[in-house]
Amino acid sequence: MASTPSRFVFGIFNFEAEGFFGGVIDNANGKVTPAPGNPVADALGQNTVVQVLADPKGRFLYSLNTGARSFGIQLGQAGIGAYQINRSSGMLTPAPKQIVFSVPRSGFMAIDGTGRFLYQLDTGGIDIYSIDQSNGNLTLMTGAAPMPAVGNFSATSADGRFLFNEGNGQVEVYGIDQASGQLTVAAAPISTGGSGGPMAISADSRFLYVANSAEGTVAVYSINANGALAQAAGSPFATDAQAAGMSLAPDGKFLYMTFQNTGESHVKGFAVDPAAGVFTAIAGANLNNATSINVDGFGRFAYVSQGQLVTYKIEPATGALTSVSQTPQPVSDIPLDITLVP
């Protein structure tokens, strides 16, 4: 499938950050320069942000906020922050409407492959929002998931057909009605072979990767035409423990993972070929003091938070990483709080 270059990168620190920072990506050399307006204040007030997510067409940015208080004083509201992305400059502007929750929620968001619907895990269920295609406003829709969510992690296939929900050692599959956004059961929950954790889906929508964070493994599945999952030969594969984030190269050849333990974070890369049962560590893709990694849409560069944002060139044959440039912002202290935008 055709690759789409990444044009912008946005990030924020998890706890009571000063705001969102944006960067403009030069696809010729991977260099990132500041977007105008940095930092952009959180539209829901000073906050704890646990996820930043862009729609697949690069028009809107959403943040999952859990709120913040200090000495009993409310600093920021829990909810979903919505922002418009200037497609020329990368500048962020708050959308006209923000979503405020009555209580904090920790279930992560996912956006369907068409960029028309946003899904957010809500106390065992899944809330469905329509995305206003002109300004990014979210509107809560009627209807609910036909069966309870199994965990807090969710991801959608790029072809817009499936939503994967995962947690507590299980992964389940919903079919997405591409006209209405409503969900139907595509496959019953199956075991991940461990505790579960972050997920990644190949750009061609053929393979699903699920980290079992506590056990230090990754379960790999092929995705059948009806959404049913079949475990790849040799899965689950050994990695380090405490996986916190995953990023796949668009051609599906390399998987990069962030691991976060108390006081320590690092990134490792793996050469992968699920059809052949291949999952091999890349010798030149071990990065210390790294809290996130995101592979660009062309698969030529990876962007890593290491106190600053470091651009690494990806060696196309091996997946090894070589540092080529750096910039102070945007960076994040957790993998889900920084994202690349096409």
Side-chain angles (χ1 to χ4, degrees):
M1 61 181 297
S3 298
T4 302
S6 299
R7 300 179 62 183
F8 308 113
V9 54
F10 297 98
I12 190 170
F13 274 88
N14 170 245
F15 182 66
E16 296 184 9
E18 58 181 314
F20 295 89
F21 284 84
V24 182
I25 296 172
D26 185 331
N27 285 292
N29 56 25
K31 185 177 181 180
V32 175
T33 54
N38 287 337
V40 176
D42 193 312
L44 293 175
Q46 191 174 12
N47 231 297
T48 300
V49 180
V50 297
Q51 184 187 17
V52 174
L53 183 67
D55 86 288
K57 296 180 181 178
R59 304 159 301 168
F60 311 118
L61 186 77
Y62 299 95
S63 65
L64 182 62
N65 296 10
T66 59
R69 300 178 69 89
S70 178
F71 300 102
I73 299 173
Q74 185 79 40
L75 300 178
Q77 296 173 300
I80 301 175
Y83 305 85
Q84 300 168 0
I85 303 171
N86 184 296
R87 296 293 293 152
S88 297
S89 69
M91 184 173 180
L92 292 179
T93 304
K97 177 182 174 183
Q98 309 297 318
I99 300 296
V100 177
F101 299 150
S102 58
V103 295
R105 301 179 186 176
S106 56
F108 295 118
M109 305 178 294
I111 297 176
D112 80 300
T114 69
R116 297 178 59 217
F117 306 104
L118 183 146
Y119 302 89
Q120 193 272 321
L121 280 296
D122 174 19
T123 318
I126 301 177
D127 284 345
I128 305 171
Y129 296 87
S130 63
I131 299 175
D132 188 311
Q133 300 296 288
S134 64
N135 60 19
N137 279 351
L138 299 177
T139 300
L140 183 63
M141 301 172 63
T142 58
M147 61 189 300
V150 296
N152 283 337
F153 291 94
S154 55
T156 55
S157 57
D159 61 12
R161 299 180 60 214
F162 301 110
L163 170 72
F164 300 87
N165 171 238
E166 180 267 318
N168 302 306
Q170 291 187 307
V171 58
E172 62 185 349
V173 187
Y174 298 98
I176 299 174
D177 185 309
Q178 293 178 307
S180 68
Q182 296 298 316
L183 302 175
T184 56
V185 176
I190 63 172
S191 173
T192 67
S195 57
M199 292 188 291
I201 302 174
S202 62
D204 60 8
S205 302
R206 294 180 57 207
F207 298 101
L208 171 70
Y209 294 77
V210 179
N212 289 307
S213 294
E215 295 78 10
T217 64
V218 172
V220 184
Y221 305 89
S222 60
I223 303 171
N224 295 328
N226 64 357
L229 301 176
Q231 194 149 192
S235 172
F237 299 95
T239 63
D240 292 353
Q242 303 307 317
M246 309 173 81
S247 185
L248 264 172
D251 62 5
K253 291 171 55 178
F254 308 120
L255 173 70
Y256 299 93
M257 301 179 64
T258 305
F259 302 91
Q260 293 191 314
N261 298 281
T262 302
E264 184 274 334
S265 297
H266 63 278
V267 161
K268 283 190 174 182
F270 301 87
V272 295
D273 183 353
V278 172
F279 196 103
T280 305
I282 300 170
N286 299 310
L287 306 176
N288 294 323
N289 303 313
T291 53
S292 71
I293 183 167
N294 296 82
V295 179
D296 84 288
F298 269 163
R300 296 179 57 205
F301 302 103
Y303 297 88
V304 181
S305 294
Q306 289 180 291
Q308 58 185 343
L309 187 68
V310 183
T311 302
Y312 285 87
K313 183 179 180 181
I314 300 174
E315 207 288 317
T318 67
L321 302 174
T322 303
S323 174
V324 294
S325 64
Q326 57 276 323
T327 186
Q329 291 283 359
V331 292
S332 179
D333 50 348
I334 61 173
L336 294 183
D337 271 356
I338 189 165
T339 189
L340 301 182
V341 177

